[in-house]
Amino acid sequence: MHPTNLQTTDKRELVITWSDQSEATIPFRILRDRCQCAGCNEKRVNPPEKPVGLPILSAAEAQPLMIEKMHPVGNYAYNIHFSDGHSAGIYTFEMLKNIGNACRP
Ligand SMILES: [Zn+2]
């Protein structure tokens, strides 16, 4: 199975149409949180210590999260560039399918 169409909505969601005609709607934030790159996995294992006092967001983090670009990787995955500057994530079709299923209402 592979995506036949990708669209983004103004509610910051990615809509994937699959080759079996099914559709999945995935909020950008969930995609970003599911990133499996080495850096994100490391943060999950060793979360940075919470700063004392008010959290300070960088300018990029304070903006609503957007997808800036999606590049196909071979014929099995997409590399997604997020507006917070993170672009290391590789999302296989299988992962996208699983995340999409988990996002079903
Ligand atoms: Zn990552």
Side-chain angles (χ1 to χ4, degrees), residues 18-37:
W18 295 94
S19 48
D20 67 354
Q21 306 297 319
S22 64
E23 240 182 41
T25 302
I26 308 173
F28 297 164
R29 172 54 60 189
I30 290 184
L31 278 175
R32 177 71 181 81
D33 288 347
R34 299 288 183 96
C35 179
Q36 295 296 319
C37 80

Side-chain angles (χ1 to χ4, degrees), residues 16-88:
I16 306 173
T17 309
W18 295 94
S19 48
D20 67 354
Q21 306 297 319
S22 64
E23 240 182 41
T25 302
I26 308 173
F28 297 164
R29 172 54 60 189
I30 290 184
L31 278 175
R32 177 71 181 81
D33 288 347
R34 299 288 183 96
C35 179
Q36 295 296 319
C37 80
C40 290
N41 275 327
E42 167 70 19
K43 268 190 209 151
R44 271 181 213 113
V45 179
N46 295 312
E49 287 197 17
K50 289 237 163 73
V52 181
L54 288 173
I56 298 167
L57 292 176
S58 71
E61 284 173 336
Q63 298 298 317
L65 184 71
M66 301 296 288
I67 286 180
E68 294 189 330
K69 276 185 260 178
M70 284 180 74
H71 296 292
V73 178
N75 55 2
Y76 70 97
Y78 285 102
N79 169 228
I80 302 180
H81 290 227
F82 291 97
S83 59
D84 62 357
H86 194 67
S87 61

